[in-house]
Amino acid sequence: MTKCKTDCIERPLSLAFEKLGRVVGRYPCVFLLSAICVAASLGSGFIFFQERKANDIEDQFTPVNGPAKLERAIVVENFPQSEEFSQFRLVSEGTYASLIITDLHGENILTEAAFNDIIELDRRVKSIMTRNTFENLCVKTKGRCMSNVVLDIINYSATEIVSSNIKYPMNNGMFLGTTIGGVELKPNSSELTSAKAVRLFYFLDEKKTKENSDWLDGFLKLLSNATEQKTVHVSYFTSTSRQNELETNSDSIIPLFSVTYSLAITISILSCSRLDCVRTKVWVATFGVVSAGLAVLASFGLLLFCGMPFAMTVASAPFLILGVGVDDMFIMISCWQKTKVNKAVEFRLAETYKEAGVSITITTLTDVLAFYIGLMTPFRSVQSFCMYTSTALLFCYIFNITFFGACLALNGRREKGNRHWLTCMKVPEATGDDGGCCVGGAYDKNTHKEFEMPVDSFFKKYYGPFLIRASCV
């Protein structure tokens, strides 16, 4: 009963693929050029790449309807921000830049020399010029930019840090717990005698997203060139630092694409190479990898056209697609080699599709369904990865049975004419399994099939028997 059901599904599929293989083998140039045109057209969707990038950490890596977001909505409803900014009423980190300043030798930071540097740093930060000034972007309290209380206490005069009697953690109604760290107090008193660190905050108006981003970039540029002062050491951080680091790591993957695809092409060529200058499958192996690349280009471009967010997790998807694409390529090459070389190319490709089509279809369907099911996750970054990966797998399958099949057919025509793999010039036919740079086209005269590839022979004659002998020990 099970066998009957299997045959009822597999047989029609095999026949359908056989017909498709015959059509592709008859008109390979049509399928080849059509696939390239489709990839080029859909690939133009990459013009929207910058617009579709979704690298907001909270949005991408927290559940869409998580309890924390629902509870935050309640806080926003009951404790909205007033016109006067208050750090304690923020429902998120806010948009800010921050400095943590310590003594260069780890000593007391509450010295005149240290505060001369701190006040100078504060002045330079507030003087950062992008398309807007800090004065235009900062959050306001009583019509003025929110200041740092530790500098307000000394009226921006370094000499007063020694003479001022600063209370900790409350000083004249101002909380210093977030601005002064590593404190030491007088015995049985709240008077501050020394501290290890001072922290300065520069909060920006969250509504001015683009302008804030430019100013924060200016802040990072300034501090990256001036972290060491005469008497103090400066550490710096912004509300976008984590996101910038993740984006940098994501961008660092892109150069690896060329390395990975080059390695894949090299390994594929080595696996499909023969000494026979006609039967070697150098071009087939190369275009098998190119097929996977075109699938990534077309699928990603289509989704970018459709407005699908491109999360940083998607950057790893092309490596997965390459692995699946190359695997399907080897299956098709293996089936091609089992066909008789004296048959017409279209019939050889029809038999190849008949044998390989069902296998790659079933594996593709299971992979695609598995990733599409991943769309049910509440994490947007995972949703984005699953959508791009599943669609790319689908395109990889389509390009394998069109573009790569056409390449296989054209290579078959070259072999049929006994032409050299590089020059496409006719060469004398080899006898037996001896080939070389000037002769080729050898095949088994008994079976009328190609001789096995060196890699196949290795596993069949040496590795397989070795495993059997090892298991018997």
Side-chain angles (χ1 to χ4, degrees):
M1 187 70 177
T2 305
K3 187 177 184 301
C4 179
K5 289 181 178 179
T6 305
D7 288 342
C8 290
I9 297 172
E10 186 176 342
R11 191 176 184 81
L13 274 176
S14 297
L15 292 174
F17 275 110
E18 186 178 7
K19 291 178 181 178
L20 175 62
R22 192 173 292 126
V23 174
V24 174
R26 190 174 298 165
Y27 308 107
C29 292
V30 175
F31 284 89
L32 184 75
L33 295 175
S34 298
I36 293 173
C37 289
V38 169
S41 301
L42 294 179
S44 61
F46 273 87
I47 60 175
F48 300 107
F49 180 70
Q50 291 300 326
E51 295 177 33
R52 304 288 187 253
K53 285 179 76 173
N55 292 335
D56 184 273
I57 295 175
E58 182 179 317
D59 179 60
Q60 293 296 314
F61 294 96
T62 57
V64 176
N65 296 316
K69 292 184 177 179
L70 298 176
E71 289 165 6
R72 176 189 291 176
I74 295 172
V75 174
V76 171
E77 182 182 352
N78 293 283
F79 299 93
Q81 276 284 359
S82 61
E83 292 182 5
E84 299 296 314
F85 175 80
S86 172
Q87 182 180 349
F88 302 107
R89 292 177 74 94
L90 285 172
V91 294
S92 64
E93 276 192 312
T95 304
Y96 68 91
S98 176
L99 298 175
I100 297 179
I101 305 146
T102 57
D103 182 79
L104 205 56
H105 304 291
E107 303 296 330
N108 181 25
I109 193 69
L110 304 180
T111 64
E112 183 177 340
F115 267 78
N116 276 325
D117 279 349
I118 292 172
I119 292 169
E120 174 61 18
L121 271 171
D122 179 73
R123 184 194 65 77
R124 291 172 65 185
V125 168
K126 290 179 177 177
S127 301
I128 292 172
M129 286 289 295
T130 52
R131 283 180 284 185
N132 277 281
T133 62
F134 177 73
E135 188 72 25
N136 293 332
L137 299 176
C138 67
V139 292
K140 300 289 195 299
T141 302
K142 296 179 180 178
R144 298 176 59 189
C145 285
M146 181 184 173
S147 57
N148 287 286
V149 293
V150 68
L151 298 180
D152 289 339
I153 291 171
I154 62 171
N155 296 314
Y156 288 83
S157 173
T159 56
E160 293 193 23
I161 191 63
V162 179
S163 58
S164 298
N165 293 323
I166 303 174
K167 306 293 184 181
Y168 186 89
M170 298 296 296
N171 186 82
N172 296 329
M174 293 183 289
F175 181 64
L176 301 180
T178 59
T179 57
I180 301 179
V183 300
E184 289 185 9
L185 306 177
K186 280 187 177 181
N188 303 318
S189 171
S190 61
E191 187 176 331
L192 197 60
T193 58
S194 70
K196 296 294 185 183
V198 170
R199 188 174 189 182
L200 304 182
F201 285 97
Y202 302 91
F203 281 96
L204 307 178
D205 187 347
E206 290 186 273
K207 297 176 183 176
K208 302 174 182 178
T209 308
K210 176 60 179 171
E211 296 88 342
N212 290 346
S213 179
D214 293 338
W215 191 89
L216 291 173
D217 287 341
F219 172 85
L220 293 172
K221 186 177 181 181
L222 170 69
L223 271 297
S224 64
N225 297 325
T227 54
E228 295 295 339
Q229 306 297 313
K230 294 178 182 178
T231 58
V232 298
H233 172 75
V234 182
S235 301
Y236 55 94
F237 184 81
T238 73
S239 53
T240 60
S241 290
R242 282 189 296 266
Q243 184 170 318
N244 290 340
E245 288 176 12
L246 282 172
E247 288 177 5
T248 302
N249 289 333
S250 179
D251 292 340
S252 68
I253 294 175
I254 294 174
L256 297 177
F257 289 161
S258 57
V259 177
T260 304
Y261 276 78
S262 299
L263 283 173
I265 289 173
T266 303
I267 293 170
S268 299
I269 288 174
L270 290 174
S271 300
C272 298
S273 294
R274 297 171 180 267
L275 295 177
D276 191 311
C277 66
V278 174
R279 300 296 177 193
T280 188
K281 302 289 190 293
V282 172
W283 292 118
V284 173
T286 302
F287 283 106
V289 178
V290 171
S291 177
L294 291 176
V296 171
L297 177 68
S299 58
F300 281 26
L302 174 63
L303 291 173
L304 290 170
F305 262 128
C306 295
M308 185 69 190
F310 190 96
M312 59 188 75
T313 50
V314 179
S316 58
F319 300 103
L320 178 62
I321 307 307
L322 176 62
V324 174
V326 171
D327 180 54
D328 289 347
M329 173 195 78
F330 281 119
I331 291 174
M332 293 182 70
I333 291 175
S334 177
C335 292
W336 170 269
Q337 290 181 143
K338 293 176 182 177
T339 60
K340 295 183 178 180
V341 298
N342 56 353
K343 287 188 176 180
V345 169
E346 62 185 82
F347 290 105
R348 291 189 70 185
L349 197 64
E351 289 182 17
T352 300
Y353 273 43
K354 183 179 179 181
E355 290 296 321
V358 177
S359 299
I360 64 175
T361 299
I362 293 173
T363 54
T364 299
L365 280 176
T366 53
D367 290 342
V368 169
L369 285 174
F371 281 105
Y372 275 132
I373 290 171
L375 294 173
M376 298 170 65
T377 181
F379 295 92
R380 294 191 191 280
S381 58
V382 180
Q383 289 176 355
S384 182
F385 173 78
C386 289
M387 175 59 82
Y388 276 91
T389 304
S390 54
T391 306
L393 286 169
L394 201 57
F395 271 82
C396 186
Y397 168 74
I398 294 169
F399 274 84
N400 269 330
I401 61 175
T402 54
F403 175 82
F404 179 68
C407 293
L408 203 56
L410 290 173
N411 187 74
R413 290 185 179 184
R414 179 190 61 77
E415 290 182 8
K416 189 76 173 175
N418 217 65
R419 297 179 180 274
H420 195 280
W421 72 270
L422 183 61
T423 63
C424 284
M425 300 292 291
K426 277 202 170 190
V427 295
E429 186 175 338
T431 57
D433 60 352
D434 59 324
C437 62
C438 299
V439 294
Y443 62 92
D444 191 320
K445 302 295 183 180
N446 296 321
T447 62
H448 297 284
K449 295 179 182 179
E450 295 182 26
F451 289 108
E452 290 179 338
M453 286 185 178
V455 173
D456 294 339
S457 298
F458 168 75
F459 282 102
K460 182 178 179 180
K461 296 179 181 178
Y462 302 103
Y463 189 68
F466 166 75
L467 288 180
I468 293 172
R469 287 193 298 271
S471 63
C472 294
V473 175

